[in-house]
Amino acid sequence: MSVEKTIPKATAKRLSLYYRIFKRFNTDNIEKASSKQIADAMGIDSATVRRDFSHFGELGRRGFGYDVKKLMNFFADILDDHSTTNVTLVGVGNIGRALMHYRFHDRNKMQIAIAFDRDDNDIVGTSSPDGIPIHGISTIKETLKDTDIETAILTVPSLQAQEVADQLVEAGIKGILSFSPVHLSVPKDVVVQYVDLTSELQTLLYFMNQKQN
């Protein structure tokens, strides 16, 4: 199966959802799935499924459905989910603590391996209940230099976000998931994804109001 180098951003955002659906189908011993079955499980239309899959070459044959196990492995390859990906967390506040307790590896092979917080925080030098060591932010470069970690979750206050992002980039981080509602300036080879909970909630409320009018 061939994969185009560039696919639409909307399609890219659905890749992990497709993978999750095929894993669930496989667990349920479903061997073949139609585009409608996939669409219904995703909450989208079947035309979107077929259009998304068209970016990856010949994934199935019309009228025969999609081979569940084959597609599950295909999306595992795309998402590099065959081996565990270690991630670092910077900012052990309310959101950070919740993320440390979240069992990423129950759904995908990802885990928070190291956390960082303010150097003067009493938790620095300790470990979380799950055994995740917590270091001071000033030691980011030194701590990460001998690890395979290239991905970071950033949950620090907005005023510190850029400064910490600079440290992460200097330490070799290539991907940042930021919960700070500020745009980060990073080199072109570094990818940043933003999670703005306030914006998402406001969007939800807007659509709720539209339905009520």
Side-chain angles (χ1 to χ4, degrees):
M1 300 178 201
S2 62
V3 179
E4 293 183 9
K5 289 185 178 180
T6 304
I7 62 174
K9 192 171 184 180
T11 299
K13 286 186 173 183
R14 285 189 285 268
L15 295 180
S16 63
L17 299 178
Y18 285 126
Y19 180 39
R20 187 183 305 170
I21 292 300
F22 280 110
K23 285 203 296 183
R24 194 178 82 200
F25 285 168
N26 185 63
T27 299
D28 293 340
N29 295 315
I30 298 172
E31 296 182 0
K32 297 281 186 179
S34 67
S35 57
K36 186 178 186 308
Q37 284 177 288
I38 299 165
D40 289 346
M42 294 271 292
I44 58 178
D45 59 87
S46 54
T48 299
V49 172
R50 291 193 294 271
R51 186 166 57 249
D52 284 348
F53 286 9
S54 70
H55 295 288
F56 304 108
E58 199 68 38
L59 295 186
R61 292 171 57 196
R62 190 175 184 85
F64 287 85
Y66 297 93
D67 184 308
V68 167
K69 186 165 288 187
K70 189 175 182 180
L71 268 292
M72 179 183 70
N73 291 329
F74 174 70
F75 284 107
D77 287 339
I78 290 178
L79 296 167
D80 194 22
D81 197 48
H82 290 299
S83 58
T84 300
T85 298
N86 289 321
V87 178
T88 188
L89 169 73
V90 185
V92 190
N94 291 333
I95 294 177
R97 285 196 297 273
L99 291 171
M100 288 174 77
H101 291 300
Y102 185 77
R103 301 181 69 82
F104 290 97
H105 52 276
D106 283 353
R107 291 188 173 184
N108 299 90
K109 294 180 180 177
M110 297 179 289
Q111 64 180 11
I112 294 175
I114 299 173
F116 296 90
D117 205 276
R118 297 189 331 267
D119 290 357
D120 60 353
N121 195 323
D122 291 341
I123 63 174
V124 170
T126 68
S127 296
S128 74
D130 292 329
I132 302 169
I134 304 170
H135 301 267
I137 284 179
S138 66
T139 70
I140 285 177
K141 185 176 180 181
E142 176 188 347
T143 304
L144 295 182
K145 69 178 181 180
D146 293 324
T147 72
D148 62 351
I149 296 175
E150 294 186 331
T151 308
I153 302 173
L154 190 60
T155 62
V156 299
S158 301
L159 290 175
Q160 283 82 52
Q162 184 61 58
E163 179 183 352
V164 175
D166 291 341
Q167 290 178 261
L168 289 169
V169 170
E170 192 175 348
I173 293 296
K174 296 299 181 185
I176 298 173
L177 180 65
S178 177
F179 282 78
S180 299
V182 293
H183 178 76
L184 299 176
S185 177
V186 296
K188 290 183 178 180
D189 64 338
V190 177
V191 179
V192 180
Q193 286 280 101
Y194 297 93
V195 179
D196 188 336
L197 297 177
T198 301
S199 177
E200 293 295 334
L201 182 57
Q202 287 176 329
T203 301
L204 171 64
L205 294 173
Y206 168 77
F207 284 120
M208 288 170 60
N209 289 333
Q210 290 296 106
K211 284 187 175 292
Q212 293 170 7
N213 293 334

